[in-house]
Amino acid sequence: MADLARRFTNNPIISPEDVIPSQDGLQILGLFNPGVFYFENKIWLIVRVAENVAEEDTVFNYIYHQEGEHSILKIAKDDPNIDATDPRVHLHQGTAYLTSLSHLRLFYSADGRNFEPSEKPFIVGEGIYEAYGIEDCRVSVINQTFYLTYTAVSSNGVCVGLRTTRDWKSFNHHGIIFPPHNKDCAIFEEKIGNKYYAFHRPSSLAIGGNYIWLSESPDGLHWGKHHCIIKTRAGMWDSGRVGAGAAPIRTEKGWLAVYHGADHNNLYCLGAVLLDLDKPWIVLARSYDPIMIPTAPYELEGFFNNVVFTNGHYWDGKSDGIKVYYGAADKYICGAEFKISEILSSLQYSL
Ligand code: MAN
């Protein structure tokens, strides 16, 4: 299996130790899966910061109410009714609770490798659909407007929220664009035939699976004409789940999209697909083997082990190199360079 990633030599580029918790009494469990954008001559990362209470013996569910107030549900770690097999979500008497609450923070860099925290305010969950936080934000730029699509979590379910901004100071909150269960939404940065397009990932587990879908919209807000385009593949590295990364990039051969896939052992790798330029619901080629596999120590061990997960990259729009930013082991923020030509020639074209 070929790993095409040229990992940054200064990885991890941001670690939990570099970040101050949002409030006294909280601790940072991990930094996750940054969205990426270019603004005012700098590369920016919008990082998911996952926190919980700094109490060793407590699992908790930390809730933002509509008015901005929060409350903490405390459950002792040794409670016999807890199923803590997955460190991300614990089950208590049949109810699932996140073990952390996530908000988003901005970091910026002039060289794409050394990042500073920004003074800009944190972006936190607001309202009833974001009560358990906001996660894994993708950023797409269309006509100088930044579209932030992210996972909104609450007792209503896991779904996709949208905010837009032009200046990163004021935001329009458009509410939920894909209802539960749905995540991994990335809006294409160009219209095709006067329509917006987006990847998203509904889950239909009784019949079906965790598959990537493509939808179109007249305005970037209302989505329809859904096509299921990328499914899991039995016995392969992406047999358990697949989900889109950032918006695809336009190449002469088609739309090139990096996605994540996990197998039934929760090994999260990256692969790529190539979509028809005019009919993006047609898949032209796909990675047979992953293009990136967790191998570095910071990818193998963290909050949730054996994970490389991306939802953001920086590309200058012309060169062969692309900087892919990714979350490693659900704990660290890292970066790697890929060559577009190498990804394209690694794909399997006869599907
Ligand atoms: C899910 C999401 C991601 C996370 C991966 C790996 O897909 O919660 O945020 O990085 O799992 O744990």
Side-chain angles (χ1 to χ4, degrees):
M1 286 206 270
D3 188 318
L4 303 180
R6 295 167 169 83
R7 289 163 174 78
F8 290 1
T9 49
N10 64 330
N11 274 347
I13 53 176
I14 316 171
S15 299
E17 302 75 62
D18 307 331
V19 176
I20 298 167
S22 64
Q23 291 181 36
D24 286 347
L26 299 185
Q27 65 189 358
I28 293 173
L29 285 187
L31 306 178
F32 288 61
N33 316 337
V36 181
F37 59 97
Y38 191 74
F39 179 62
E40 294 180 339
N41 301 319
K42 294 188 179 67
I43 296 176
W44 294 74
L45 304 182
I46 181 161
V47 170
R48 169 179 163 203
V49 179
E51 299 177 304
N52 76 356
V53 277
E55 284 178 28
E56 282 302 305
D57 54 350
T58 306
V59 176
F60 86 116
N61 182 20
Y62 170 49
I63 304 167
Y64 275 91
H65 292 302
Q66 253 171 315
E67 306 81 27
E69 297 285 314
H70 69 265
S71 64
I72 297 170
L73 171 70
K74 292 195 176 188
I75 304 170
K77 253 193 189 144
D78 56 6
D79 185 321
N81 298 310
I82 291 184
D83 174 352
T85 330
D86 188 327
R88 302 167 299 181
V89 182
H90 288 179
L91 291 171
H92 183 248
Q93 294 176 333
T95 305
Y97 294 103
L98 288 181
T99 55
S100 62
L101 179 89
S102 294
H103 65 277
L104 307 173
R105 276 192 220 183
L106 292 165
F107 294 79
Y108 63 91
S109 169
D111 64 3
R113 287 174 187 256
N114 297 286
F115 282 84
E116 301 283 331
S118 159
E119 295 296 308
K120 292 187 194 297
F122 308 157
I123 303 172
V124 298
E126 284 172 12
I128 57 168
Y129 299 117
E130 301 176 3
Y132 301 167
I134 52 178
E135 306 180 351
D136 297 355
C137 182
R138 281 115 174 126
V139 182
S140 300
V141 193
I142 308 165
N143 295 331
Q144 280 108 53
T145 297
F146 297 89
Y147 287 70
L148 283 62
T149 49
Y150 52 85
T151 307
V153 193
S154 72
S155 58
N156 303 290
V158 174
C159 47
V160 178
L162 172 70
R163 296 182 200 196
T164 54
T165 184
R166 289 175 79 84
D167 58 8
W168 292 93
K169 289 184 192 134
S170 61
F171 295 83
N172 282 327
H173 199 168
H174 301 277
I176 299 305
I177 55 168
F178 292 104
H181 184 117
N182 208 316
K183 45 168 61 174
D184 301 330
C185 174
I187 300 178
F188 285 43
E189 296 189 294
E190 269 180 54
K191 290 201 218 170
I192 306 167
N194 213 25
K195 293 282 195 301
Y196 293 83
Y197 281 86
F199 296 126
H200 61 109
R201 209 285 302 279
S203 297
S204 175
L205 293 180
I207 299 177
N210 293 297
Y211 304 151
I212 301 174
W213 290 62
L214 182 87
S215 302
E216 69 170 57
S217 168
D219 57 7
L221 302 176
H222 302 89
W223 296 90
K225 288 208 174 171
H226 307 281
H227 290 274
C228 180
I229 60 168
I230 300 156
K231 295 188 181 184
T232 50
R233 297 177 290 188
M236 295 182 65
W237 61 275
D238 50 6
S239 58
R241 56 186 59 230
V242 288
I249 60 176
R250 176 189 265 282
T251 72
E252 281 176 7
K253 293 189 164 189
W255 294 103
L256 179 64
V258 175
Y259 71 96
H260 70 264
D263 64 12
H264 289 286
N265 295 316
N266 280 329
L267 173 70
Y268 279 75
C269 298
L270 301 183
V273 286
L274 189 69
L275 309 174
D276 186 90
L277 282 179
D278 301 320
K279 296 178 180 163
W281 53 91
I282 298 176
V283 179
L284 305 173
R286 182 169 175 181
S287 296
Y288 184 81
D289 290 325
I291 60 170
M292 187 175 192
I293 304 156
T295 44
Y298 46 82
E299 297 163 356
L300 298 176
E301 207 176 319
F303 175 65
F304 192 73
N305 299 341
N306 306 314
V307 173
V308 291
F309 188 108
T310 187
N311 40 257
H313 56 241
Y314 170 71
W315 182 46
D316 64 9
K318 48 184 191 294
S319 58
D320 194 27
I322 177 172
K323 286 186 175 64
V324 169
Y325 296 90
Y326 65 99
D330 285 353
K331 185 164 182 183
Y332 306 105
I333 304 300
C334 296
E337 289 261 352
F338 287 80
K339 298 245 180 274
I340 293 170
S341 55
E342 285 181 5
I343 300 178
L344 287 173
S345 56
S346 74
L347 301 178
Q348 186 187 25
Y349 285 79
S350 51
L351 295 172

